[in-house]
Amino acid sequence: MDLDWILVIIGEILVAIGIFCDLVGSIGMHRFKNFYLRLHAATVGTIGGAFVPLIGAALIAIGSDFLGYYRWFMAGGAIVTAVLILILAPAGSHALARATHKARVTPVEPKIADHLEEDELAKGGEQA
């Protein structure tokens, strides 16, 4: 078994993990009760369902000799895209959650702790 074959197998495993994360995220989007929980499920689907398979696709491309030197372009594009998703998806989810909380569009339930509300109260803002 050569290194190219091992890279392809690892890449396929990562793609399968991504499929599982997308499935779990979509079930969470359907089953969770409020916006914040669904946003969490969407983030799981984005990170696990996009980042991990893109790394797997990069490994598959690297291990595919028949692509010639184009395999490095494919792998580079997949890795750059994966890194961008890894950076931007949590930031986008955080921005959506913070804006929704600040606009009081949806109630925060179930609530164990609400640090944003505590910060607003400490600054003299209105209570939700």
Side-chain angles (χ1 to χ4, degrees):
M1 187 178 287
D2 62 343
L3 181 62
D4 290 340
W5 187 243
I6 292 172
L7 287 175
V8 169
I9 291 173
I10 292 172
E12 289 174 350
I13 290 170
L14 290 177
V15 170
I17 290 171
I19 291 169
F20 176 75
C21 288
D22 273 337
L23 182 64
V24 168
S26 62
I27 291 171
M29 289 287 289
H30 181 68
R31 299 282 301 180
F32 287 161
K33 293 181 180 177
N34 66 26
F35 170 77
Y36 298 103
L37 296 174
R38 288 182 179 158
L39 188 61
H40 171 69
T43 304
V44 167
T46 302
I47 299 297
F51 173 77
V52 175
L54 280 170
I55 297 298
L59 292 178
I60 291 171
I62 291 171
S64 300
D65 282 338
F66 65 92
L67 294 174
Y69 65 88
Y70 291 110
R71 65 183 176 167
W72 301 110
F73 295 116
M74 293 177 67
I79 290 171
V80 168
T81 305
V83 169
L84 287 175
I85 287 173
L86 185 66
I87 293 169
L88 296 176
S93 296
H94 175 78
L96 280 172
R98 187 172 175 88
T100 303
H101 185 276
K102 198 163 189 82
R104 295 186 174 97
V105 174
T106 181
V108 181
E109 294 176 353
K111 181 173 16 177
I112 297 172
D114 191 348
H115 296 293
L116 287 174
E117 185 178 273
E118 292 171 7
D119 288 344
E120 288 175 3
L121 290 175
K123 291 178 183 176
E126 295 180 18
Q127 186 175 3

